Amino acid sequence: MAKTVTLIEGDGIGPEVTLAAKRIVEATGVKIEWEVCEAGAKVFKQGLATGVPQETIDSIKRTKVALKGPLETPVGYGEKSANVTLRALFETYANTRPIRQIPGIHTPYSGRNIDFVVVRENVEDLYAGIEYLQTPSVAEGLKLITRKGSEKIIRFAFELARAEGRKKVHCATKANILKLTEGLFKKTFEEVSLDYPDIEALHIIIDNCAHQMVLRPEVFDVIVTTNLHGDIISDLGSGLVGGLGVAPAANIGDEISIFEAVHGSAPKYTGLNVINPSALIFSSVLMLRHLEEFEAAHLIEQSLLYTLGVEKAFLRDLDKTSTLTTTAYTDIVIKNLGKQTDFWAPRHYKPLHIAHIKDPDDNVPRKDVGIDVYIESLLSPEVLGKSLEDISSATPFTLKMISNRGVQVYPLLEGVKPDTVDQWRARFFLRDSQKPMADSDVFNLVAKIGQTHKWMHLEKLFEFNGSPSFTKAQGES
Ligand code: NAD
């Protein structure tokens, strides 16, 4: 029976790369019905602020798989890009980028046997986009890491390793500095890895990971990481093996998956029939494996390797003197279907198992500790500190400390000369640590602070399972 796939041609060079990929997929004989849908610049210009029409959303919901050309957000239209809308709508939480040396493409790493996958968490972290101007001159962005989101992507990385016969997974974090957010990701990795004794599980600090990717990229097999780190190291990975013209990506969710090239719409090449469609063709290989069409995927992959590695048919991005057109290149890849190479060690792909993760446990023992109140003020730390001590003196709270840009500034540590800004965090602890914190006491304290100072944010402090739910300021005892 034919499988149905939503095809979004996209903007700029999108129609050229999607046409090439579609022709090659069809030439393998695999039975795919395409639902051609719109998204991107044209849709924004028709006045739809999301850039993704309802028909496209309905099609993807129906087919569960989309092959997508690059999408543009034209200047002056829409607040969010159509790509971000698609990612958010369909919760495609796993962004995977295979990084593999491609024969015929000379790089400083040629011959080093680079072959790994970057698995990037795709919806959380700073990309959840929760940002505030807390004062006119202080911006705050929330780095949101959840146990559930971390477990989903980490299990995905181990399952991907199993499906591709890979042997180790590195978890790359900044848990040494960001103890609660990145620390939660690392802790989840350590717990989940116990369910995969057949796969070696290693933790690496993200900056060292970037360093090792440049020095010894051949040591990696699968790297799983949080969103922002993943954004950066996946581009670093693409650079190691030949750049944008050949870099594919898959965005996978529990139900829906979207396959695309890493590159954008390269508008200056639109319609010139000169761009390299290989990235989207490699993406269609990932899509076919996802559809469990392993034979068709293998045929296309081998044909590309033969076309690049043996025939050395290069487009202009790889050989400036080339006069080859995108259409002629596509014809060559079709002609080479069935050709075999030994550039890449054979890999026995198996269907990918996507684990379903339970919702968090609501019964974690917790204890109230106090509150952090964020205040806008131009006072000195000393004056602000004394004022907050006075204000809290007749309440169940005592001022523990004040920090500015993460450093304790009240009481001032000896030898520290802070360069302060107008955003302060005042930390109040309950005087009687055995008593629960009544909301009325919190509101009372905040109301009193509000009579003298501008406050803009309140955060409750707890202990969960005996561990603090907050980090200390630099210098806080
Ligand atoms: P880009 O990837 O479109 O182009 C950068 C340069 O890379 C091009 O000028 C070209 O020299 C080269 N290039 C890219 N793809 C190529 C190919 N297939 N063959 C040959 N050369 C290629 O990046 P950009 O110029 O920053 O972005 C252009 C537009 O694309 C923007 O509107 C951006 O928002 C959008 N974009 C979309 C996606 C997506 O849909 N996933 C990704 C990135 C950028």
Side-chain angles (χ1 to χ4, degrees):
M1 225 179 73
K3 290 174 178 158
T4 316
V5 169
T6 302
L7 184 75
I8 300 173
E9 293 180 342
D11 301 314
I13 61 170
E16 292 165 65
V17 291
T18 46
L19 176 64
K22 176 172 173 281
R23 283 184 58 210
I24 293 166
V25 169
E26 285 171 351
T28 64
V30 72
K31 295 217 169 354
I32 300 238
E33 269 172 23
W34 307 92
E35 288 190 11
V36 180
C37 290
E38 286 189 344
K42 211 192 296 173
V43 180
F44 280 115
K45 286 178 184 165
Q46 284 161 4
L48 194 65
T50 59
V52 187
Q54 190 59 43
E55 306 87 80
T56 305
I57 295 169
D58 292 342
S59 169
I60 298 175
K61 277 189 184 157
R62 211 168 30 244
T63 64
K64 312 223 179 300
V65 178
L67 184 65
K68 176 182 107 32
L71 305 180
E72 270 173 33
T73 309
V75 180
Y77 293 88
E79 219 180 77
K80 302 256 180 212
S81 89
N83 289 310
V84 174
T85 302
L86 285 171
R87 206 175 290 169
L89 270 178
F90 299 119
E91 180 82 24
T92 53
Y93 60 85
N95 179 281
T96 71
R97 293 237 203 129
I99 312 286
R100 204 165 185 184
Q101 195 73 60
I102 294 170
I105 301 183
H106 186 74
T107 75
Y109 293 91
S110 290
R112 292 277 293 270
N113 202 19
I114 295 177
D115 177 9
F116 63 92
V117 186
V118 177
V119 176
R120 162 187 169 193
E121 199 291 320
N122 216 15
V123 286
E124 298 193 341
D125 199 356
L126 289 159
Y127 291 65
I130 308 170
E131 295 190 307
Y132 303 94
L133 274 174
Q134 288 206 325
T135 80
S137 60
V138 176
E140 181 202 56
L142 228 68
K143 181 175 169 72
L144 196 81
I145 302 285
T146 70
R147 160 81 208 193
K148 188 178 182 184
S150 302
E151 186 173 346
K152 273 167 106 167
I153 193 72
I154 290 163
R155 282 201 187 278
F156 177 89
F158 279 104
E159 292 294 342
L160 182 84
R162 274 189 180 163
E164 299 201 351
R166 294 179 182 270
K167 297 285 172 253
K168 61 183 162 186
V169 178
H170 278 88
C171 171
T173 75
K174 196 72 191 167
N176 51 328
I177 305 290
L178 304 173
K179 305 233 186 264
L180 294 186
T181 50
E182 294 276 311
L184 178 58
F185 197 82
K186 175 172 182 270
K187 186 165 173 273
T188 308
F189 176 77
E190 287 157 358
E191 289 166 9
V192 168
S193 66
L194 301 177
D195 292 342
Y196 298 87
D198 48 323
I199 312 275
E200 190 183 356
L202 303 126
H203 177 260
I204 186 166
I205 293 175
I206 184 67
D207 32 335
N208 185 30
C209 181
H211 182 77
Q212 296 300 332
M213 280 173 74
V214 172
L215 284 184
R216 299 190 303 144
E218 57 279 356
V219 302
F220 293 108
D221 212 354
V222 176
I223 303 173
V224 63
T225 188
T226 49
N227 205 340
L228 178 59
H229 302 325
D231 192 0
I232 298 165
I233 65 161
S234 53
D235 266 29
L236 168 55
S238 306
L240 296 176
V241 295
L244 289 177
V246 288
N251 297 293
I252 303 203
D254 282 342
E255 299 203 340
I256 284 164
S257 299
I258 301 177
F259 297 83
E260 63 182 338
V262 170
H263 63 71
S265 59
K268 68 179 173 191
Y269 295 115
T270 305
L272 300 184
N273 202 17
V274 293
I275 47 75
N276 190 349
S278 303
L280 197 73
I281 304 171
F282 275 119
S283 307
S284 65
V285 170
L286 303 181
M287 180 191 81
L288 288 169
R289 281 202 194 106
H290 183 80
L291 293 169
E292 299 182 15
E293 295 287 352
F294 295 110
E295 186 50 38
H298 180 73
L299 273 176
I300 298 177
E301 190 170 81
Q302 284 298 317
S303 168
L304 277 171
L305 296 181
Y306 188 90
T307 302
L308 293 164
V310 178
E311 288 198 356
K312 304 204 186 306
F314 296 140
L315 284 140
R316 242 193 268 173
D317 61 325
L318 299 176
D319 173 5
K320 291 208 166 24
T321 64
S322 170
T323 53
L324 196 62
T325 63
T326 308
T327 314
Y329 178 82
T330 308
D331 293 339
I332 297 171
V333 177
I334 291 173
K335 170 185 72 92
N336 287 339
L337 287 170
K339 294 271 184 3
Q340 295 293 317
T341 73
D342 55 5
F343 291 119
W344 286 358
R347 170 159 285 143
H348 299 290
Y349 292 93
K350 288 189 262 188
L352 179 69
H353 170 250
I354 305 231
H356 288 268
I357 312 298
K358 285 195 290 244
D359 280 325
D361 179 4
D362 200 23
N363 296 316
V364 176
R366 68 181 64 205
K367 186 170 153 235
D368 298 330
V369 172
I371 53 172
D372 277 353
V373 184
Y374 287 73
I375 292 168
E376 179 183 347
S377 173
L378 291 169
L379 296 173
S380 73
E382 284 299 300
V383 175
L384 182 63
K386 295 273 181 296
S387 164
L388 293 176
E389 275 171 351
D390 283 351
I391 289 170
S392 58
S393 60
T395 74
F397 297 96
T398 176
L399 181 69
K400 168 81 179 358
M401 64 101 208
I402 302 173
S403 71
N404 193 288
R405 297 204 289 169
V407 179
Q408 178 171 320
V409 291
Y410 185 86
L412 193 58
L413 306 165
E414 237 184 79
V416 176
K417 271 206 179 134
D419 185 9
T420 56
V421 295
D422 61 352
Q423 183 235 32
W424 310 80
R425 174 178 54 160
R427 174 158 290 173
F428 297 92
F429 277 179
L430 283 169
R431 285 174 203 280
D432 183 347
S433 64
Q434 299 312 312
K435 280 199 178 153
M437 189 161 65
D439 281 353
S440 53
D441 290 336
V442 173
F443 300 150
N444 186 29
L445 175 63
V446 173
K448 281 186 167 179
I449 291 172
Q451 284 166 13
T452 318
H453 306 285
K454 295 189 192 106
W455 69 274
M456 85 297 275
H457 181 85
L458 174 67
E459 189 85 39
K460 278 188 175 181
L461 310 176
F462 306 101
E463 276 177 10
F464 294 133
N465 258 332
S467 298
S469 68
F470 50 95
T471 53
K472 286 181 178 166
Q474 290 293 334
E476 184 181 353
S477 57

